[in-house]
Amino acid sequence: MNFDEYQRYFADILENTEKYEVYHNDAEYLNYTKLNWSRMNRWLKKFEPSEEMKACIQRIKDEQHWIVITEPWCGDAAHSVAQIYNIVKDNPFIDLDIQLRDTVPFLIDEYLTNGGKSIPKLIIRNDVGHDKIVWGPRPAALQTIFEEMKAEGKPFPEIKEAIQRWYNEDKGVEIQKELQEALKEY
């Protein structure tokens, strides 16, 4: 789906929860989704790519297919997906496609992180469908923090709070740096 379709899907979950078994039967998933709707919309309004990131994206003149594997309940995705959308939305050579992790064709199975289905995942393919860049599930600096806290046995609520605080303080700087660096090689 494109980004607008993803937003409609996301909103429909919140408006018609009974249609979606996982959200209807699991209050925690629904609560995450409500929170993520707010986070995503805040980034859509407030996140502006840096001049360097804009220039990097404007240099792309060959057709590219950017696929983001995500789910509305994912806290990392609430930040990254909105930022990625704002980064690419004005380049007509970039087709942004949103794929749900837990829905056929289960593309995530080809892009596991340490054996897990961590999201979001960004796959950048060229015009003939070859993967050129795979990014995610979060900026490398935050991934390190996550892995260290997990290894230390920190409780999940504490990890989630540290992750959210990091995203709010970073303001999309690291994802832009990582994408610019990856796109240099491409």
Side-chain angles (χ1 to χ4, degrees), residues 23-129:
Y23 298 97
H24 181 68
N25 294 331
D26 190 328
E28 196 170 15
Y29 270 93
L30 183 58
N31 288 335
Y32 289 146
T33 303
K34 288 175 183 175
L35 188 56
N36 292 339
W37 177 257
S38 293
R39 289 174 176 151
M40 181 181 74
N41 283 298
R42 185 182 75 234
W43 285 118
L44 288 172
K45 290 175 190 166
K46 292 189 175 203
F47 176 74
E48 179 70 25
S50 68
E51 292 305 315
E52 295 85 359
M53 186 77 245
K54 289 179 187 175
C56 178
I57 292 298
Q58 288 172 353
R59 284 192 293 273
I60 296 172
K61 302 292 185 201
D62 297 326
E63 297 286 330
Q64 291 185 1
H65 188 64
W66 290 39
I67 302 164
V68 177
I69 304 170
T70 189
E71 286 288 343
W73 49 257
C74 176
D76 289 286
H79 305 278
S80 300
V81 174
Q83 292 169 354
I84 291 167
Y85 170 74
N86 276 342
I87 287 169
V88 303
K89 69 180 180 182
D90 295 325
N91 187 318
F93 296 102
I94 299 174
D95 171 44
L96 181 63
D97 180 30
I98 308 292
Q99 298 277 328
L100 298 175
R101 185 193 85 166
D102 299 332
T103 303
V104 174
F106 302 111
L107 187 59
I108 192 65
D109 291 338
E110 297 175 38
Y111 300 96
L112 302 178
T113 302
N114 300 322
K117 296 181 179 187
S118 300
I119 53 175
K121 278 288 189 166
L122 170 65
I123 300 100
I124 300 176
R125 294 180 175 166
N126 65 12
D127 61 337
V128 293

Side-chain angles (χ1 to χ4, degrees), residues 139 141-142 145 162-171 174:
L142 181 55
I145 292 167
I163 288 172
Q164 295 309 315
R165 188 172 42 253
W166 187 93
Y167 277 117
N168 290 336
E169 292 170 1
D170 177 70
K171 296 181 176 27
E174 286 302 312

Side-chain angles (χ1 to χ4, degrees), residues 128-156:
V128 293
H130 294 122
D131 291 0
K132 296 300 181 183
I133 297 168
V134 176
W135 177 90
R138 55 185 65 91
L142 181 55
Q143 183 68 13
T144 299
I145 292 167
F146 171 78
E147 289 171 1
E148 287 172 354
M149 291 183 80
K150 198 171 165 187
E152 293 168 3
K154 300 283 185 188
F156 192 61

